[in-house]
């Protein structure tokens, strides 16, 4: 029989107190377990919903598909460690992924404040496999100035100018201006005029 839950009769009063405390700690851990399980389930759901979008977001900011996949995985490792403190996971994941991309670029090349202009090659991974038209868009994004590309990446993922401004520490007007210029540049790069595609 377990000595912790059933101490022998000859145990001293100190041993009895220690045994009762151990039982209380075990029962307390059992009570808190559902919230931990809920937290793990929420993280797993976020991982399933956000992994591919975070990979694509990172690619829109100039990463190759393999780089983007590695960055997304390392970002989710960091998210798991800080999960209890994350209020808005989609924005947090993109913010951290972009920082990871900057660190990767600085390590590979020379220190710089922005991401280099051209994204990398195609990837066979089904999660980020690009069709011909989508590949053209990603290529065109690579020719945008870094700030326009960054704003466009957030916009494509459904964030409003106000939300983007908050994440990038700039004004909503600056976001709208960058977005307008990015759209004009993309239209030129893709050969789209007012009458439609070239």
């Amino acid at each position: 029989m377990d000595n912790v839950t059933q101490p022998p009769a000859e145990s001293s009063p100190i041993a009895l107190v220690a045994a009762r405390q151990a039982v209380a700690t075990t029962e307390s851990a059992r009570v808190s377990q559902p919230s931990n399980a809920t937290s793990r389930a929420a993280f797993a759901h976020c991982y399933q919903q956000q992994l591919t979008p975070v990979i694509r977001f990172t690619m829109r900011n100039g990463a190759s598909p393999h780089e983007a996949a590695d960055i997304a995985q390392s970002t989710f490792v960091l998210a798991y460690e800080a999960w209890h403190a994350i209020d808005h996971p989609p924005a947090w994941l993109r913010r951290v992924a972009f920082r990871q991309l900057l660190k990767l670029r600085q390590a590979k090349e020379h220190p710089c404040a922005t991401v280099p202009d051209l994204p990398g090659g195609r990837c066979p991974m089904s999660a980020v496999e690009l069709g011909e038209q989508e590949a053209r868009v990603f290529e065109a994004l690579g020719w945008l100035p870094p700030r326009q590309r960054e704003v466009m990446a957030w916009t494509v993922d459904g964030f409003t100018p106000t939300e983007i401004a908050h994440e990038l520490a700039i004004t909503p007007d600056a976001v709208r201006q960058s977005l307008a210029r990015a759209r004009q540049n993309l239209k030129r790069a893709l050969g789209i005029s007012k009458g439609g595609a070239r």
Side-chain angles (χ1 to χ4, degrees):
M1 190 170 285
D2 189 355
N3 288 334
V4 173
T5 56
Q6 285 282 358
E10 66 272 10
S11 293
S12 68
I14 295 174
L16 287 172
V17 170
R20 288 184 184 128
Q21 287 175 343
V23 171
T25 302
T26 304
E27 288 173 355
S28 174
R30 285 188 192 129
V31 169
S32 65
Q33 192 172 2
S35 69
N36 291 338
T38 302
S39 180
R40 285 195 300 271
F43 177 83
H45 178 73
C46 178
Y47 181 85
Q48 290 173 351
Q49 295 295 314
Q50 292 292 323
L51 178 62
T52 298
V54 170
I55 292 173
R56 288 177 175 268
F57 172 85
T58 310
M59 288 172 63
R60 290 186 198 105
N61 276 290
S64 72
H66 288 290
E67 287 173 339
D70 287 344
I71 287 169
Q73 292 291 348
S74 63
T75 298
F76 272 99
V77 169
L78 295 172
Y80 184 79
E81 293 169 355
W83 186 247
H84 64 283
I86 299 174
D87 292 328
H88 187 42
W92 189 96
L93 291 166
R94 284 156 180 79
R95 188 167 59 247
V96 172
F98 185 76
R99 287 182 195 150
Q100 295 282 330
L101 177 58
L102 288 179
K103 286 180 186 176
L104 177 67
R105 291 298 190 222
Q106 289 169 356
K108 280 191 167 185
E109 300 168 3
H110 54 278
C112 58
T114 57
V115 181
D117 287 337
L118 291 176
R122 301 281 297 279
C123 177
M125 295 181 297
S126 60
V128 293
E129 190 172 342
L130 305 178
E132 185 178 340
Q133 185 175 9
E134 193 175 16
R136 285 184 64 218
V137 172
F138 272 83
E139 184 179 358
L141 282 169
W143 292 103
L144 293 177
R147 176 62 82 188
Q148 292 179 21
R149 184 173 60 221
E150 189 179 7
V151 168
M152 183 60 76
W154 282 91
T155 301
V156 170
D157 278 4
F159 290 83
T160 67
T162 301
E163 291 170 330
I164 297 168
H166 175 74
E167 295 300 330
L168 303 184
I170 57 178
T171 66
D173 284 342
V175 171
R176 291 185 190 95
Q177 288 175 3
S178 292
L179 190 55
R181 290 177 186 143
R183 285 173 173 151
Q184 289 172 356
N185 289 333
L186 279 176
K187 285 179 182 179
R188 277 197 294 270
L190 294 170
I192 299 172
S193 63
K194 288 183 180 178
R198 185 168 56 187

